[in-house]
């Protein structure tokens, strides 16, 4: 039971740490202030973060599976076409190992980009700024979303 609690605590700290670094990059504040801002941003938008976490995990899993599977299939076909008399087992295992590493690295960067985009969106929405930095489609989405929120408060 203690090990489970420690594992859960570790996951929470890693999640907060990642979001604190994102806040540091976005706002230019020190780590402790950024960690506090990230924590409260997550609390204020818990449903959005939860939804993006689930969707991001699904997309990451699909991307990881696609990269490894695609590399394995193409590697097998290339090995069979170039060397039909040689067993493709060992080279294919090496290709799959490299594909695994590349997929993990690529999807890790993808996950961080998704989290950063979400925090950028929420920061812009909460600060009420925009101007020339927001694409028109996103700007209209934010204004529509704000009108719906204000309409629901009345």
């Amino acid at each position: 039971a203690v090990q489970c609690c420690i594992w859960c605590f570790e996951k929470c700290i890693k999640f907060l740490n990642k979001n604190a670094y994102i806040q540091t990059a976005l706002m230019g504040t020190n780590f402790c202030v950024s960690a506090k801002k990230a924590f409260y941003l997550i609390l204020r938008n818990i449903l959005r973060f939860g939804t993006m976490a689930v969707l991001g995990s699904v997309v990451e899993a699909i991307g990881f599976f696609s990269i490894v599977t695609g590399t394995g299939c193409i590697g097998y076909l290339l090995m069979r076409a170039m060397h039909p008399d040689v067993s493709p087992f060992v080279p294919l295992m090496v290709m799959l190992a490299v594909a695994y590493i590349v997929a993990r690295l690529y999807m890790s960067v993808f996950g961080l980009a998704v989290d950063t985009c979400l925090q950028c969106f929420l920061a812009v929405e909460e600060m009420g700024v925009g101007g020339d930095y927001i694409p028109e489609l996103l700007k209209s989405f934010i204004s529509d979303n704000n009108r719906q929120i204000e309409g629901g408060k009345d």
Side-chain angles (χ1 to χ4, degrees):
V2 173
Q3 191 174 9
C4 181
C5 291
I6 291 172
W7 176 83
C8 186
F9 180 71
E10 179 187 8
K11 291 293 181 182
C12 291
I13 294 298
K14 283 184 178 181
F15 179 74
L16 184 60
N17 188 36
K18 177 180 69 171
N19 287 297
Y21 278 121
I22 292 171
Q23 281 290 318
T24 299
L26 292 177
M27 303 298 182
T29 54
N30 66 38
F31 181 80
C32 292
V33 172
S34 296
K36 180 181 170 187
K37 285 183 178 183
F39 179 75
Y40 287 122
L41 181 71
I42 293 167
L43 280 181
R44 285 190 305 271
N45 299 284
I46 192 80
L47 292 177
R48 288 177 172 176
F49 269 92
T51 303
M52 288 304 294
V54 170
L55 290 175
S57 296
V58 169
V59 171
E60 280 185 51
I62 291 170
F64 176 78
F65 180 75
S66 299
I67 291 170
V68 173
T69 304
T71 301
C73 291
I74 291 171
Y76 177 78
L77 294 174
L78 285 174
M79 284 300 298
R80 285 319 239 175
M82 294 172 64
H83 305 286
D85 54 332
V86 178
S87 172
F89 181 74
V90 174
L92 192 58
M93 289 299 119
V94 172
M95 285 184 225
L96 287 175
V98 171
Y100 176 85
I101 293 168
V102 169
R104 279 281 168 224
L105 291 172
Y106 183 80
M107 296 317 291
S108 173
V109 171
F110 173 80
L112 186 62
V114 168
D115 291 339
T116 304
C117 288
L118 176 62
Q119 285 200 32
C120 286
F121 174 78
L122 293 174
V124 165
E125 187 179 59
E126 287 184 356
M127 289 188 291
V129 297
D132 299 331
Y133 302 109
I134 302 176
E136 287 301 319
L137 287 173
L138 185 58
K139 196 182 298 186
S140 66
F141 178 76
I142 291 172
S143 63
D144 291 345
N145 191 30
N146 285 340
R147 272 188 247 125
Q148 288 176 353
I149 291 171
E150 290 171 4
K153 290 181 181 176
D154 294 335

